Amino acid sequence: MATVPGYSFFHNVERSFDKAAVFTTWENGLLQQIKQCNSVLQVRFPIKRENGEIVTLEAYRVQHSHHKTPCKGGIRFSNAVNQDEVMALAALMTYKCAIVNVPFGGAKGGIKINPREYTPYELEKITRRYTAELIKKNFIGPGTDVPAPDYGTGEREMAWILDTYVAMHPGEIDAAGCVTGKPVSQGGVRGRKEATGLGVFYGLSEICNMPDLMKKLGLPVGVKGKTVCVQGMGNVGYHSALFFKQAGAKIVGIAEYEGAIRSDKGLDIEEVFKHRKATGSILDFPGAENFEKTGDALEMECDILIPAALENVINSTNAARVRAKIIGEAANGPLTPEADDILNLKGVLIVPDMYLNAGGVTVSYFEWLKNLSHVRYGRIEKRFEENMNHRIVDQIEGLTGKTIGKDERDFILHGADEVDLVRSGLEETMIAATREIVEIWQSNPSIPDMRTAAYVCAINKVATSYSELGIFP
Ligand code: NAD
């Protein structure tokens, strides 16, 4: 995280919340309850490294809201982890889940380590010990709190969490639902890995397809031909870039922590990924220009800028130099409120993190449902659908005397697989959320920006849930 003195991520989330709350009619006591973090767990535990050294680690799990359970949110491995950051990320999870109608309260976890400084063996020990701490304090379980991957963690860590949980809960039939983002062989769902990046793509495509928004920005409608810069080539950044490229956009800039590259002809994201794997850096990619500072990518000329690394990277020191027309917040909290103000004044459209990167939690919800139902999506109906489609196509061909071409026929006959259903559910979720937020924004001219509209949407949903519980009649 870029360091800004006196910066509190949680305070910034509260500021955005307060800015939106004035556009709602809920009483103050209820708004205060929604804003607070309900439970904060801080633990410290020792681990013995492979060289014999003993280190004490600091870790957190925050449950922001229990208006719906289980709580849900990723686990982050980063040196910048602290209580304030985890609280902010947990709060964003509550609002995110509400917007996309995922019936969970928000949570987040983190361990203050740089995973690159530890061996896989040590990371496994750390992950398992952290899981044991969560179990001891009842901060994990399919009905209480369900972690997922976040910055610095992935499928591997989720498999270790599951294995530790199962070992300590023998015979618990729904144990696989204690964590999401698992490998498919361990109860994961197909389509989870790329879900956040794909959700970012679906959300931004819907924005690009709105003629009035594009007209205001002086951009043509649609994704095709748009120029895109991405910061961070991890899970979210890589997949966002990949789906934009597949849809005909041009990825002109990519940044990683070692620097940035640019090519106006467009970068092949898969080739850049291979190049980084082979050389250890994105720099010196054939045909691209090198930039020493990763932050340079944030200031490159492009239609869409996608910060997909960490929070606070666009702040009062660099916001004025951002030249993108749309910022799609794939990372959580990449803009400080000061940057928000500067960019809103410049007329940049900021598509906010709290719903744009909700693809991960949406598909995590699908994974959790799969774990509780103990059956793969599509398993029961796929063959039935294919048989029905066959009959329909045969009837149409018989009645019309025309033959449907092979590609079209195969497409129509195909019964939905798990990944088809997951992607379809994700697309529907992201399009519906985009339209709902834009509708709130456009229906009240006093709402200044899309972030505030997203908060209004979230506050209304969480408050309705509390009031229907009878807690705040
Ligand atoms: P990741 O660890 O897979 O990737 C992050 C990448 O950013 C890494 O490649 C890292 O080297 C790079 N990076 C770090 N600092 C950088 C800098 N200053 N400039 C350029 N690159 C830098 O993490 P991720 O899962 O892709 O998460 C990225 C962001 O997306 C985080 O803010 C996370 O909270 C958010 N997010 C992730 C998910 C998910 O499903 N993984 C879901 C919602 C939100």
PDB file of all heavy atoms in Angstrom, residues 43-70:
ATOM      1  N   VAL A  43      -5.000 -11.950  16.694  1.00  0.00           N
ATOM      2  CA  VAL A  43      -4.230 -13.038  17.322  1.00  0.00           C
ATOM      3  C   VAL A  43      -2.756 -12.906  16.975  1.00  0.00           C
ATOM      4  O   VAL A  43      -2.391 -12.316  15.954  1.00  0.00           O
ATOM      5  CB  VAL A  43      -4.727 -14.447  16.873  1.00  0.00           C
ATOM      6  CG1 VAL A  43      -6.089 -14.764  17.436  1.00  0.00           C
ATOM      7  CG2 VAL A  43      -4.727 -14.590  15.368  1.00  0.00           C
ATOM      8  N   ARG A  44      -1.950 -13.427  17.867  1.00  0.00           N
ATOM      9  CA  ARG A  44      -0.506 -13.531  17.601  1.00  0.00           C
ATOM     10  C   ARG A  44      -0.112 -14.962  17.863  1.00  0.00           C
ATOM     11  O   ARG A  44      -0.583 -15.563  18.832  1.00  0.00           O
ATOM     12  CB  ARG A  44       0.282 -12.599  18.522  1.00  0.00           C
ATOM     13  CG  ARG A  44       0.235 -11.180  18.019  1.00  0.00           C
ATOM     14  CD  ARG A  44       0.700 -10.200  19.049  1.00  0.00           C
ATOM     15  NE  ARG A  44       0.129  -8.901  18.752  1.00  0.00           N
ATOM     16  CZ  ARG A  44       0.731  -7.969  18.013  1.00  0.00           C
ATOM     17  NH1 ARG A  44       1.921  -8.193  17.512  1.00  0.00           N
ATOM     18  NH2 ARG A  44       0.138  -6.820  17.782  1.00  0.00           N
ATOM     19  N   PHE A  45       0.692 -15.517  16.978  1.00  0.00           N
ATOM     20  CA  PHE A  45       1.135 -16.905  17.195  1.00  0.00           C
ATOM     21  C   PHE A  45       2.546 -17.078  16.648  1.00  0.00           C
ATOM     22  O   PHE A  45       2.942 -16.395  15.704  1.00  0.00           O
ATOM     23  CB  PHE A  45       0.142 -17.902  16.548  1.00  0.00           C
ATOM     24  CG  PHE A  45      -0.139 -17.654  15.097  1.00  0.00           C
ATOM     25  CD1 PHE A  45       0.733 -18.105  14.121  1.00  0.00           C
ATOM     26  CD2 PHE A  45      -1.292 -16.975  14.699  1.00  0.00           C
ATOM     27  CE1 PHE A  45       0.467 -17.878  12.777  1.00  0.00           C
ATOM     28  CE2 PHE A  45      -1.558 -16.746  13.355  1.00  0.00           C
ATOM     29  CZ  PHE A  45      -0.681 -17.203  12.399  1.00  0.00           C
ATOM     30  N   PRO A  46       3.287 -18.020  17.272  1.00  0.00           N
ATOM     31  CA  PRO A  46       4.662 -18.241  16.809  1.00  0.00           C
ATOM     32  C   PRO A  46       4.719 -19.341  15.742  1.00  0.00           C
ATOM     33  O   PRO A  46       3.886 -20.253  15.756  1.00  0.00           O
ATOM     34  CB  PRO A  46       5.354 -18.730  18.090  1.00  0.00           C
ATOM     35  CG  PRO A  46       4.267 -19.429  18.845  1.00  0.00           C
ATOM     36  CD  PRO A  46       2.951 -18.841  18.442  1.00  0.00           C
ATOM     37  N   ILE A  47       5.669 -19.229  14.836  1.00  0.00           N
ATOM     38  CA  ILE A  47       5.960 -20.401  13.990  1.00  0.00           C
ATOM     39  C   ILE A  47       7.485 -20.562  13.899  1.00  0.00           C
ATOM     40  O   ILE A  47       8.228 -19.581  13.982  1.00  0.00           O
ATOM     41  CB  ILE A  47       5.344 -20.342  12.565  1.00  0.00           C
ATOM     42  CG1 ILE A  47       6.009 -19.283  11.706  1.00  0.00           C
ATOM     43  CG2 ILE A  47       3.852 -20.242  12.544  1.00  0.00           C
ATOM     44  CD1 ILE A  47       6.393 -19.853  10.372  1.00  0.00           C
ATOM     45  N   LYS A  48       7.882 -21.803  13.752  1.00  0.00           N
ATOM     46  CA  LYS A  48       9.317 -22.081  13.619  1.00  0.00           C
ATOM     47  C   LYS A  48       9.637 -22.186  12.139  1.00  0.00           C
ATOM     48  O   LYS A  48       9.025 -22.991  11.423  1.00  0.00           O
ATOM     49  CB  LYS A  48       9.648 -23.389  14.333  1.00  0.00           C
ATOM     50  CG  LYS A  48      11.103 -23.581  14.606  1.00  0.00           C
ATOM     51  CD  LYS A  48      11.271 -24.794  15.506  1.00  0.00           C
ATOM     52  CE  LYS A  48      12.691 -24.902  15.990  1.00  0.00           C
ATOM     53  NZ  LYS A  48      12.843 -26.028  16.893  1.00  0.00           N
ATOM     54  N   ARG A  49      10.562 -21.353  11.671  1.00  0.00           N
ATOM     55  CA  ARG A  49      10.898 -21.365  10.249  1.00  0.00           C
ATOM     56  C   ARG A  49      11.807 -22.548   9.933  1.00  0.00           C
ATOM     57  O   ARG A  49      12.344 -23.183  10.831  1.00  0.00           O
ATOM     58  CB  ARG A  49      11.551 -20.039   9.858  1.00  0.00           C
ATOM     59  CG  ARG A  49      10.646 -18.841  10.136  1.00  0.00           C
ATOM     60  CD  ARG A  49      11.074 -17.631   9.384  1.00  0.00           C
ATOM     61  NE  ARG A  49      10.990 -17.838   7.945  1.00  0.00           N
ATOM     62  CZ  ARG A  49      11.137 -16.866   7.044  1.00  0.00           C
ATOM     63  NH1 ARG A  49      11.356 -15.621   7.449  1.00  0.00           N
ATOM     64  NH2 ARG A  49      11.060 -17.117   5.752  1.00  0.00           N
ATOM     65  N   GLU A  50      12.018 -22.794   8.646  1.00  0.00           N
ATOM     66  CA  GLU A  50      12.834 -23.956   8.258  1.00  0.00           C
ATOM     67  C   GLU A  50      14.270 -23.834   8.741  1.00  0.00           C
ATOM     68  O   GLU A  50      14.944 -24.838   8.965  1.00  0.00           O
ATOM     69  CB  GLU A  50      12.781 -24.146   6.741  1.00  0.00           C
ATOM     70  CG  GLU A  50      11.417 -24.638   6.273  1.00  0.00           C
ATOM     71  CD  GLU A  50      11.460 -25.265   4.895  1.00  0.00           C
ATOM     72  OE1 GLU A  50      12.012 -26.362   4.763  1.00  0.00           O
ATOM     73  OE2 GLU A  50      10.930 -24.644   3.938  1.00  0.00           O
ATOM     74  N   ASN A  51      14.752 -22.561   8.915  1.00  0.00           N
ATOM     75  CA  ASN A  51      16.127 -22.378   9.401  1.00  0.00           C
ATOM     76  C   ASN A  51      16.212 -22.425  10.929  1.00  0.00           C
ATOM     77  O   ASN A  51      17.242 -22.116  11.512  1.00  0.00           O
ATOM     78  CB  ASN A  51      16.698 -21.064   8.875  1.00  0.00           C
ATOM     79  CG  ASN A  51      15.925 -19.843   9.388  1.00  0.00           C
ATOM     80  OD1 ASN A  51      15.039 -19.986  10.260  1.00  0.00           O
ATOM     81  ND2 ASN A  51      16.240 -18.674   8.887  1.00  0.00           N
ATOM     82  N   GLY A  52      15.105 -22.763  11.614  1.00  0.00           N
ATOM     83  CA  GLY A  52      15.107 -22.894  13.067  1.00  0.00           C
ATOM     84  C   GLY A  52      14.669 -21.630  13.799  1.00  0.00           C
ATOM     85  O   GLY A  52      14.377 -21.671  14.994  1.00  0.00           O
ATOM     86  N   GLU A  53      14.619 -20.489  13.068  1.00  0.00           N
ATOM     87  CA  GLU A  53      14.232 -19.220  13.702  1.00  0.00           C
ATOM     88  C   GLU A  53      12.749 -19.245  14.100  1.00  0.00           C
ATOM     89  O   GLU A  53      11.907 -19.739  13.342  1.00  0.00           O
ATOM     90  CB  GLU A  53      14.468 -18.082  12.693  1.00  0.00           C
ATOM     91  CG  GLU A  53      14.216 -16.706  13.237  1.00  0.00           C
ATOM     92  CD  GLU A  53      14.100 -15.661  12.100  1.00  0.00           C
ATOM     93  OE1 GLU A  53      14.281 -16.035  10.908  1.00  0.00           O
ATOM     94  OE2 GLU A  53      13.815 -14.506  12.409  1.00  0.00           O
ATOM     95  N   ILE A  54      12.436 -18.673  15.289  1.00  0.00           N
ATOM     96  CA  ILE A  54      11.025 -18.591  15.696  1.00  0.00           C
ATOM     97  C   ILE A  54      10.549 -17.163  15.471  1.00  0.00           C
ATOM     98  O   ILE A  54      11.193 -16.207  15.923  1.00  0.00           O
ATOM     99  CB  ILE A  54      10.857 -18.995  17.173  1.00  0.00           C
ATOM    100  CG1 ILE A  54      11.184 -20.483  17.319  1.00  0.00           C
ATOM    101  CG2 ILE A  54       9.431 -18.730  17.670  1.00  0.00           C
ATOM    102  CD1 ILE A  54      11.194 -21.002  18.726  1.00  0.00           C
ATOM    103  N   VAL A  55       9.446 -17.007  14.727  1.00  0.00           N
ATOM    104  CA  VAL A  55       8.897 -15.658  14.503  1.00  0.00           C
ATOM    105  C   VAL A  55       7.458 -15.623  15.036  1.00  0.00           C
ATOM    106  O   VAL A  55       6.734 -16.609  14.955  1.00  0.00           O
ATOM    107  CB  VAL A  55       8.897 -15.238  13.004  1.00  0.00           C
ATOM    108  CG1 VAL A  55      10.285 -14.927  12.518  1.00  0.00           C
ATOM    109  CG2 VAL A  55       8.253 -16.291  12.129  1.00  0.00           C
ATOM    110  N   THR A  56       7.085 -14.462  15.591  1.00  0.00           N
ATOM    111  CA  THR A  56       5.720 -14.297  16.075  1.00  0.00           C
ATOM    112  C   THR A  56       4.950 -13.479  15.052  1.00  0.00           C
ATOM    113  O   THR A  56       5.399 -12.397  14.653  1.00  0.00           O
ATOM    114  CB  THR A  56       5.719 -13.578  17.440  1.00  0.00           C
ATOM    115  OG1 THR A  56       6.490 -14.369  18.331  1.00  0.00           O
ATOM    116  CG2 THR A  56       4.309 -13.439  17.992  1.00  0.00           C
ATOM    117  N   LEU A  57       3.816 -14.003  14.621  1.00  0.00           N
ATOM    118  CA  LEU A  57       3.052 -13.335  13.563  1.00  0.00           C
ATOM    119  C   LEU A  57       1.785 -12.682  14.118  1.00  0.00           C
ATOM    120  O   LEU A  57       1.229 -13.121  15.128  1.00  0.00           O
ATOM    121  CB  LEU A  57       2.677 -14.344  12.474  1.00  0.00           C
ATOM    122  CG  LEU A  57       3.856 -15.032  11.792  1.00  0.00           C
ATOM    123  CD1 LEU A  57       3.360 -16.038  10.766  1.00  0.00           C
ATOM    124  CD2 LEU A  57       4.777 -14.017  11.117  1.00  0.00           C
ATOM    125  N   GLU A  58       1.362 -11.632  13.405  1.00  0.00           N
ATOM    126  CA  GLU A  58       0.171 -10.873  13.808  1.00  0.00           C
ATOM    127  C   GLU A  58      -0.909 -11.171  12.766  1.00  0.00           C
ATOM    128  O   GLU A  58      -0.641 -11.114  11.566  1.00  0.00           O
ATOM    129  CB  GLU A  58       0.591  -9.399  13.753  1.00  0.00           C
ATOM    130  CG  GLU A  58      -0.438  -8.380  14.091  1.00  0.00           C
ATOM    131  CD  GLU A  58       0.161  -6.970  13.871  1.00  0.00           C
ATOM    132  OE1 GLU A  58       1.374  -6.736  14.105  1.00  0.00           O
ATOM    133  OE2 GLU A  58      -0.607  -6.099  13.423  1.00  0.00           O
ATOM    134  N   ALA A  59      -2.101 -11.514  13.237  1.00  0.00           N
ATOM    135  CA  ALA A  59      -3.168 -11.853  12.282  1.00  0.00           C
ATOM    136  C   ALA A  59      -4.519 -11.356  12.788  1.00  0.00           C
ATOM    137  O   ALA A  59      -4.689 -11.109  13.988  1.00  0.00           O
ATOM    138  CB  ALA A  59      -3.207 -13.366  12.066  1.00  0.00           C
ATOM    139  N   TYR A  60      -5.443 -11.223  11.850  1.00  0.00           N
ATOM    140  CA  TYR A  60      -6.765 -10.660  12.177  1.00  0.00           C
ATOM    141  C   TYR A  60      -7.883 -11.426  11.487  1.00  0.00           C
ATOM    142  O   TYR A  60      -7.687 -12.015  10.428  1.00  0.00           O
ATOM    143  CB  TYR A  60      -6.864  -9.199  11.688  1.00  0.00           C
ATOM    144  CG  TYR A  60      -5.852  -8.295  12.301  1.00  0.00           C
ATOM    145  CD1 TYR A  60      -4.595  -8.153  11.715  1.00  0.00           C
ATOM    146  CD2 TYR A  60      -6.135  -7.599  13.465  1.00  0.00           C
ATOM    147  CE1 TYR A  60      -3.643  -7.336  12.284  1.00  0.00           C
ATOM    148  CE2 TYR A  60      -5.189  -6.772  14.042  1.00  0.00           C
ATOM    149  CZ  TYR A  60      -3.941  -6.641  13.447  1.00  0.00           C
ATOM    150  OH  TYR A  60      -3.009  -5.833  14.021  1.00  0.00           O
ATOM    151  N   ARG A  61      -9.070 -11.359  12.091  1.00  0.00           N
ATOM    152  CA  ARG A  61     -10.312 -11.669  11.382  1.00  0.00           C
ATOM    153  C   ARG A  61     -11.343 -10.687  11.924  1.00  0.00           C
ATOM    154  O   ARG A  61     -11.521 -10.580  13.144  1.00  0.00           O
ATOM    155  CB  ARG A  61     -10.761 -13.118  11.627  1.00  0.00           C
ATOM    156  CG  ARG A  61     -12.012 -13.522  10.837  1.00  0.00           C
ATOM    157  CD  ARG A  61     -11.730 -13.743   9.361  1.00  0.00           C
ATOM    158  NE  ARG A  61     -12.934 -14.033   8.590  1.00  0.00           N
ATOM    159  CZ  ARG A  61     -12.971 -14.065   7.254  1.00  0.00           C
ATOM    160  NH1 ARG A  61     -11.872 -13.821   6.538  1.00  0.00           N
ATOM    161  NH2 ARG A  61     -14.091 -14.316   6.608  1.00  0.00           N
ATOM    162  N   VAL A  62     -12.002  -9.987  11.037  1.00  0.00           N
ATOM    163  CA  VAL A  62     -13.022  -9.019  11.445  1.00  0.00           C
ATOM    164  C   VAL A  62     -14.350  -9.421  10.831  1.00  0.00           C
ATOM    165  O   VAL A  62     -14.432  -9.696   9.635  1.00  0.00           O
ATOM    166  CB  VAL A  62     -12.635  -7.593  10.976  1.00  0.00           C
ATOM    167  CG1 VAL A  62     -13.787  -6.622  11.221  1.00  0.00           C
ATOM    168  CG2 VAL A  62     -11.383  -7.110  11.686  1.00  0.00           C
ATOM    169  N   GLN A  63     -15.375  -9.479  11.677  1.00  0.00           N
ATOM    170  CA  GLN A  63     -16.745  -9.694  11.182  1.00  0.00           C
ATOM    171  C   GLN A  63     -17.454  -8.353  11.309  1.00  0.00           C
ATOM    172  O   GLN A  63     -17.733  -7.902  12.419  1.00  0.00           O
ATOM    173  CB  GLN A  63     -17.446 -10.784  11.999  1.00  0.00           C
ATOM    174  CG  GLN A  63     -16.765 -12.140  11.845  1.00  0.00           C
ATOM    175  CD  GLN A  63     -17.356 -13.215  12.744  1.00  0.00           C
ATOM    176  OE1 GLN A  63     -18.119 -12.932  13.656  1.00  0.00           O
ATOM    177  NE2 GLN A  63     -16.979 -14.457  12.492  1.00  0.00           N
ATOM    178  N   HIS A  64     -17.702  -7.735  10.181  1.00  0.00           N
ATOM    179  CA  HIS A  64     -18.286  -6.396  10.223  1.00  0.00           C
ATOM    180  C   HIS A  64     -19.767  -6.423  10.560  1.00  0.00           C
ATOM    181  O   HIS A  64     -20.250  -5.611  11.322  1.00  0.00           O
ATOM    182  CB  HIS A  64     -18.056  -5.700   8.874  1.00  0.00           C
ATOM    183  CG  HIS A  64     -18.759  -4.386   8.751  1.00  0.00           C
ATOM    184  ND1 HIS A  64     -19.933  -4.237   8.048  1.00  0.00           N
ATOM    185  CD2 HIS A  64     -18.481  -3.180   9.269  1.00  0.00           C
ATOM    186  CE1 HIS A  64     -20.332  -2.980   8.128  1.00  0.00           C
ATOM    187  NE2 HIS A  64     -19.465  -2.311   8.859  1.00  0.00           N
ATOM    188  N   SER A  65     -20.498  -7.379   9.977  1.00  0.00           N
ATOM    189  CA  SER A  65     -21.950  -7.372  10.176  1.00  0.00           C
ATOM    190  C   SER A  65     -22.505  -8.782  10.282  1.00  0.00           C
ATOM    191  O   SER A  65     -22.053  -9.693   9.570  1.00  0.00           O
ATOM    192  CB  SER A  65     -22.622  -6.659   8.995  1.00  0.00           C
ATOM    193  OG  SER A  65     -24.024  -6.747   9.137  1.00  0.00           O
ATOM    194  N   HIS A  66     -23.480  -8.939  11.194  1.00  0.00           N
ATOM    195  CA  HIS A  66     -24.156 -10.229  11.326  1.00  0.00           C
ATOM    196  C   HIS A  66     -25.625 -10.107  10.932  1.00  0.00           C
ATOM    197  O   HIS A  66     -26.444 -10.905  11.369  1.00  0.00           O
ATOM    198  CB  HIS A  66     -24.054 -10.734  12.774  1.00  0.00           C
ATOM    199  CG  HIS A  66     -22.658 -10.973  13.212  1.00  0.00           C
ATOM    200  ND1 HIS A  66     -22.019 -10.209  14.160  1.00  0.00           N
ATOM    201  CD2 HIS A  66     -21.742 -11.882  12.793  1.00  0.00           C
ATOM    202  CE1 HIS A  66     -20.784 -10.656  14.321  1.00  0.00           C
ATOM    203  NE2 HIS A  66     -20.586 -11.657  13.505  1.00  0.00           N
ATOM    204  N   HIS A  67     -25.966  -9.083  10.134  1.00  0.00           N
ATOM    205  CA  HIS A  67     -27.376  -8.958   9.753  1.00  0.00           C
ATOM    206  C   HIS A  67     -27.800 -10.151   8.912  1.00  0.00           C
ATOM    207  O   HIS A  67     -28.977 -10.470   8.815  1.00  0.00           O
ATOM    208  CB  HIS A  67     -27.654  -7.634   9.025  1.00  0.00           C
ATOM    209  CG  HIS A  67     -27.152  -7.606   7.606  1.00  0.00           C
ATOM    210  ND1 HIS A  67     -25.814  -7.552   7.299  1.00  0.00           N
ATOM    211  CD2 HIS A  67     -27.800  -7.636   6.421  1.00  0.00           C
ATOM    212  CE1 HIS A  67     -25.669  -7.554   5.991  1.00  0.00           C
ATOM    213  NE2 HIS A  67     -26.858  -7.599   5.426  1.00  0.00           N
ATOM    214  N   LYS A  68     -26.814 -10.796   8.283  1.00  0.00           N
ATOM    215  CA  LYS A  68     -27.045 -12.094   7.638  1.00  0.00           C
ATOM    216  C   LYS A  68     -25.839 -12.959   7.968  1.00  0.00           C
ATOM    217  O   LYS A  68     -24.712 -12.435   8.068  1.00  0.00           O
ATOM    218  CB  LYS A  68     -27.157 -11.934   6.121  1.00  0.00           C
ATOM    219  CG  LYS A  68     -28.421 -11.188   5.713  1.00  0.00           C
ATOM    220  CD  LYS A  68     -28.741 -11.395   4.256  1.00  0.00           C
ATOM    221  CE  LYS A  68     -29.818 -10.442   3.778  1.00  0.00           C
ATOM    222  NZ  LYS A  68     -31.159 -10.811   4.077  1.00  0.00           N
ATOM    223  N   THR A  69     -26.044 -14.241   8.140  1.00  0.00           N
ATOM    224  CA  THR A  69     -24.912 -15.130   8.388  1.00  0.00           C
ATOM    225  C   THR A  69     -24.967 -16.302   7.412  1.00  0.00           C
ATOM    226  O   THR A  69     -26.061 -16.648   6.955  1.00  0.00           O
ATOM    227  CB  THR A  69     -24.925 -15.694   9.831  1.00  0.00           C
ATOM    228  OG1 THR A  69     -26.238 -16.136  10.117  1.00  0.00           O
ATOM    229  CG2 THR A  69     -24.492 -14.655  10.831  1.00  0.00           C
ATOM    230  N   PRO A  70     -23.825 -16.896   7.083  1.00  0.00           N
ATOM    231  CA  PRO A  70     -22.516 -16.642   7.637  1.00  0.00           C
ATOM    232  C   PRO A  70     -21.924 -15.307   7.181  1.00  0.00           C
ATOM    233  O   PRO A  70     -22.444 -14.677   6.264  1.00  0.00           O
ATOM    234  CB  PRO A  70     -21.671 -17.795   7.071  1.00  0.00           C
ATOM    235  CG  PRO A  70     -22.330 -18.133   5.774  1.00  0.00           C
ATOM    236  CD  PRO A  70     -23.805 -17.944   6.027  1.00  0.00           C
TER     237      PRO A  70
END
